[in-house]
Amino acid sequence: MIRRLASRGADWRLEYRGGSRRAMAYADDLLRDYPDRVLVSASDTDPRPDLAELLAHAPRGVAVYCCGPAPLMDAVAAAMPAACPHGRLHLERFAAAARSGAGSDTPFEAELARSGRIVAVPPGTSLLTALQEVGPTLDFSCEDGVCGGCATPVLDGASATTATPGSRTCTTAMCCATRTRA
């Protein structure tokens, strides 16, 4: 993304924060290639940046991209409305956000449309786990509902990973994190 922005002459800035400088991938390369646009700070040597101040000085129409641990992303999201109402926030999570009302833990059945086979999904078990136990090969990676590797069309019913409360319409389920909506 940075190379593309730089090649287009876009105005951008990177605030790169990590636990220790040694563990921060590409930090030296970024500083070498973009010394005027990259600020690298490590929590073991540098004070925590003031998120509200960073956001308040962002230009009008800014797109703020944030990835990292959930507390950081939550803090940026909380600061945006007051500090940067003129910007748009994009969060990239590497783990699923906590789900409120993520579905009941009651057993349910899933019908495999092509074979007509009925798969029982017991309490405490994801749809992916139940499917893997009966043999279908379904791609998956993160097992947290984030990567989309196990995305599967929902033909009928409602899953907690796809339907909003009260909705019965859904098109895709992340099988690794799916429970039925009670």
Side-chain angles (χ1 to χ4, degrees), residues 4-182:
R4 180 178 288 170
L5 290 170
S7 72
R8 292 181 177 175
D11 186 19
W12 63 272
R13 179 179 172 93
L14 173 65
E15 301 282 340
Y16 186 8
R17 177 86 171 163
S20 71
R21 181 67 184 272
R22 222 180 39 231
M24 296 171 71
Y26 308 110
D28 292 333
D29 295 336
L30 289 164
L31 286 169
R32 181 192 64 236
D33 295 346
Y34 310 104
D36 298 331
R37 297 195 176 269
V38 175
L39 174 66
V40 173
S41 69
S43 62
D44 65 349
T45 58
D46 302 305
R48 179 178 289 172
D50 183 336
L51 295 176
E53 185 175 327
L54 288 172
L55 294 168
H57 290 97
R60 190 166 260 334
V62 68
V64 175
Y65 287 82
C66 180
C67 65
L72 168 68
M73 294 196 302
D74 293 345
V76 171
M80 280 293 289
C84 192
H86 53 277
R88 290 176 305 143
L89 177 60
H90 306 270
L91 298 175
E92 183 172 348
R93 296 187 186 276
F94 297 106
R99 294 179 187 88
S100 62
S104 77
D105 199 29
T106 59
F108 67 96
E109 294 180 337
E111 181 180 353
L112 305 182
R114 288 188 192 131
S115 68
R117 186 170 190 178
I118 304 294
V119 177
V121 183
T125 302
S126 70
L127 178 56
L128 175 64
T129 300
L131 291 173
Q132 294 297 89
E133 288 175 4
V134 299
T137 55
L138 182 63
D139 290 337
F140 65 96
S141 179
C142 73
E143 296 186 68
D144 218 4
V146 175
C147 74
C150 65
T152 301
V154 173
L155 304 178
D156 187 27
S159 77
T161 59
T162 58
T164 57
S167 167
R168 301 305 290 171
T169 304
C170 44
T171 59
T172 306
M174 300 306 156
C175 292
C176 66
T178 292
R179 298 290 310 160
T180 60
R181 184 156 307 278

